[in-house]
Amino acid sequence: ICFLLFAVLYIVSYFIITRYKRKSDEQEDEDAIVNRISLFLSTFTLAVSAGAVLLLPFSIISNEILLSFPQNYYIQWLNGSLIHGLWNLASLFSNLCLFVLMPFAFFFLESEGFAGLKKGIRARILETLVMLILLALLILGIVWVASALIDNDAASMESLYDLWEFYLPYLYSCISLMGCLLLLLCTPVGLSRMFTVMGQLLVKPTILEDLDEQIYIITLEEEALQRRLNGLSSSVEYNIRKLEQELENVKNLKTKLERRKKASAWERNLVYPAVMVLLLIETSISVLLVACNILCLLVDETAMPKGTRGPGIGNASLSTFGFVGAALEIILIFYLMVSSVVGFYSLRFFGNFTPKKDDTTMTKIIGNCVSILVLSSALPVMSRTLGITRFDLLGDFGRFNWLGNFYIVLSYNLLFAIVTTLCLVRKFTSAVREELFKALGLHKLHLSNTPRDSETTKPSANGRQKTL
């Protein structure tokens, strides 16, 4: 069962990566073999990330199914042993990808072989292995020094000798804490950004707009750009590239306007408001659950993520509202994951990581796979810490020491609630703030950096901005 689930995830991950991977020449040279090996390792890592994301929803729905059909013959394969095994495998493969496979893929891609040795795959593998050993020694030294500074105890230092039982879980606990902090930064931004993303994907209602006039203006500008492009000589290479880019932008905007015009009245006036209301409800429920979890943390010790162990799989419902509550938890978990990914690529520091269709280098694919792996591995921990679900983390996911620290968990919940609320307030008051700036004449000082909508502002042929 584990093999079948992973095989499906691997196939889906392969198609996703090949969709964005830059198309190279079909030659069986050394670089092509190295790229293919790195592709397989990246696909494996992305499949593990998808498994880590699906693990918590799968466990929650499995528990409810076992409660509803305890003696059904056809679900005998779905039991606590399988769920525990999946959690342990997800933790093991996450460690393997994060500390072995992805560093190997990166160094293998950048390696050329040591000087003096015969060039080839073997020389590159040898250099990669040496770099991995040096990296492992560096990380071991950093963790050793950190342990000596934080917890200078003989027992603590001796426990570092136990590589499998203490060192790797301790190191993975540090990575998980970093992933949760990254989620704390990305998720609130993504929750506010989701409204803009869905607004770009859906057809907005046409209120006080004349789409025919806008399409007519766009068509005239497209024809003007095409005439200018045909009139330029091939020697003016810079101007040709600039006009081609402007023409491509105009064509994309014209396509969007034509799609809005062809959309039915139901799609324009019902789907868009319904999706916006649904996003607002999901975001409000998430903030409300975090607020309730803060109150529970203050009055009940068992609300801690590393508190008392709950009942086993299939013995009791993990939600107060039964199957409906479990379904709501699953929806919120997926919503938080999508929001965290959107927020991750919306941050300026990680903006260059955004993959492009058929134009993403292998190095950037490796960086994206590592980032997604860190986010997906920290998602079950964040969901349990915020009180989105009461499902106890199984396997190595539940062995993190910082989950038992009351002050860290409480601070995490408070920061998430405050930052999410501020992002939403900033999102929904940006239009009012812009109008106030214009009324007071402060818009000339560029105090607001709110990006303009791509559908209302576009470059014209003479280099100025034309507003439709």
Side-chain angles (χ1 to χ4, degrees):
I1 292 172
C2 297
F3 175 77
L4 290 176
L5 292 175
F6 184 78
V8 173
L9 294 178
Y10 188 90
I11 293 173
V12 174
S13 303
Y14 179 79
F15 283 111
I16 292 175
I17 291 182
T18 52
R19 176 181 176 83
Y20 291 98
K21 181 179 177 294
R22 177 178 294 176
K23 298 297 184 290
S24 57
D25 297 333
E26 299 296 332
Q27 297 178 358
E28 292 298 329
D29 55 355
E30 182 179 325
D31 291 334
I33 297 175
V34 171
N35 282 328
R36 192 175 298 115
I37 294 174
S38 300
L39 174 63
F40 292 152
L41 295 179
S42 301
T43 305
F44 183 87
T45 303
L46 188 60
V48 172
S49 304
V53 171
L54 298 174
L55 190 58
L56 190 57
F58 180 76
S59 302
I60 295 173
I61 197 66
S62 300
N63 183 69
E64 299 299 327
I65 291 175
L66 290 174
L67 282 175
S68 303
F69 309 99
Q71 302 297 331
N72 195 315
Y73 173 77
Y74 295 101
I75 61 170
Q76 293 299 313
W77 57 273
L78 193 63
N79 49 38
S81 177
L82 175 65
I83 303 300
H84 280 267
L86 287 173
W87 279 81
N88 288 326
L89 287 176
S91 177
L92 175 63
F93 286 156
S94 298
N95 280 286
L96 181 66
C97 294
L98 195 59
F99 300 122
V100 179
L101 297 184
M102 285 294 94
F104 179 85
F106 177 75
F107 290 129
F108 190 48
L109 199 65
E110 300 294 330
S111 64
E112 296 180 357
F114 291 113
L117 295 179
K118 184 179 179 181
K119 301 297 182 182
I121 298 296
R122 293 183 178 180
R124 299 180 72 160
I125 292 177
L126 178 61
E127 181 184 352
T128 304
L129 293 178
V130 171
M131 292 297 297
L132 284 178
I133 293 173
L134 294 176
L135 180 63
L137 292 176
L138 177 63
I139 295 177
L140 176 64
I142 292 175
V143 175
W144 201 286
V145 173
S147 179
L149 292 176
I150 297 173
D151 189 12
N152 191 9
D153 187 12
S156 176
M157 298 301 293
E158 289 179 1
S159 62
L160 288 176
Y161 289 107
D162 195 348
L163 182 66
W164 185 260
E165 291 295 330
F166 181 83
Y167 184 74
L168 282 180
Y170 177 74
L171 187 59
Y172 189 60
S173 177
C174 297
I175 299 296
S176 175
L177 179 59
M178 294 174 57
C180 287
L181 294 178
L182 184 60
L183 283 175
L184 182 62
L185 181 65
C186 298
T187 308
V189 177
L191 289 174
S192 61
R193 179 68 178 165
M194 283 291 292
F195 294 91
T196 304
V197 173
M198 295 306 296
Q200 294 173 353
L201 295 177
L202 300 176
V203 178
K204 298 180 181 180
T206 55
I207 302 175
L208 301 178
E209 284 187 295
D210 190 352
L211 292 179
D212 293 329
E213 181 181 356
Q214 295 183 17
I215 294 175
Y216 177 71
I217 295 174
I218 285 291
T219 304
L220 292 179
E221 185 165 0
E222 181 183 2
E223 294 175 355
L225 286 172
Q226 191 66 50
R227 285 195 298 268
R228 289 192 60 190
L229 192 60
N230 295 333
L232 288 177
S233 61
S234 59
S235 59
V236 191
E237 187 174 348
Y238 174 75
N239 290 335
I240 290 179
R241 286 201 304 267
K242 186 177 179 181
L243 285 177
E244 287 178 349
Q245 182 64 35
E246 292 181 359
L247 184 61
E248 185 67 24
N249 294 335
V250 169
K251 288 182 178 179
N252 292 335
L253 185 54
K254 182 180 178 181
T255 303
K256 293 179 181 180
L257 291 174
E258 290 177 347
R259 179 173 176 267
R260 292 183 63 186
K261 183 180 179 181
K262 294 178 181 178
S264 61
W266 288 97
E267 185 179 359
R268 287 197 307 264
N269 302 322
L270 182 62
V271 175
Y272 180 83
V275 171
M276 291 296 119
V277 171
L278 183 62
L279 291 179
L280 185 59
I281 292 175
E282 291 180 347
T283 307
S284 303
I285 293 176
S286 301
V287 177
L288 184 62
L289 288 176
V290 175
C292 295
N293 187 55
I294 293 174
L295 296 178
C296 292
L297 287 173
L298 295 174
V299 299
D300 188 7
E301 294 181 356
T302 60
M304 289 290 294
K306 206 174 182 179
T308 57
R309 287 290 179 182
I313 301 295
N315 295 328
S317 179
L318 301 173
S319 176
T320 308
F321 302 100
F323 191 83
V324 177
L328 179 62
E329 291 179 1
I330 293 173
I331 293 173
L332 290 178
I333 290 171
F334 281 118
Y335 180 58
L336 290 178
M337 184 59 198
V338 174
S339 301
S340 64
V341 174
V342 172
F344 176 79
Y345 289 114
S346 299
L347 297 176
R348 293 183 180 180
F349 184 76
F350 302 106
N352 295 329
F353 269 54
T354 307
K356 299 179 181 179
K357 183 181 177 182
D358 297 332
D359 192 27
T360 307
T361 61
M362 203 63 228
T363 305
K364 189 176 290 187
I365 287 178
I366 292 174
N368 278 275
C369 290
V370 171
S371 304
I372 297 298
L373 177 62
V374 172
L375 293 176
S376 60
S377 299
L379 179 67
V381 184
M382 186 191 74
S383 301
R384 181 68 181 91
T385 305
L386 295 177
I388 303 297
T389 179
R390 294 297 178 184
F391 187 87
D392 289 315
L393 304 178
L394 305 173
D396 289 337
F397 280 93
R399 297 172 59 183
F400 303 149
N401 294 327
W402 61 271
L403 288 178
N405 192 312
F406 173 77
Y407 297 102
I408 293 179
V409 174
L410 181 63
S411 301
Y412 192 89
N413 281 264
L414 287 173
L415 284 175
F416 183 87
I418 293 173
V419 174
T420 303
T421 305
L422 290 178
C423 288
L424 291 176
V425 170
R426 182 180 182 275
K427 172 68 179 177
F428 289 108
T429 60
S430 59
V432 179
R433 189 172 61 251
E434 290 290 328
E435 293 300 326
L436 287 176
F437 284 161
K438 291 180 180 179
L440 298 175
L442 299 178
H443 63 285
K444 300 178 181 179
L445 302 177
H446 303 286
L447 298 177
S448 177
N449 56 355
T450 304
R452 296 187 179 184
D453 193 358
S454 59
E455 292 187 11
T456 58
T457 305
K458 63 183 186 60
S460 62
N462 57 5
R464 299 179 180 177
Q465 297 293 328
K466 181 178 291 185
T467 301
L468 298 181

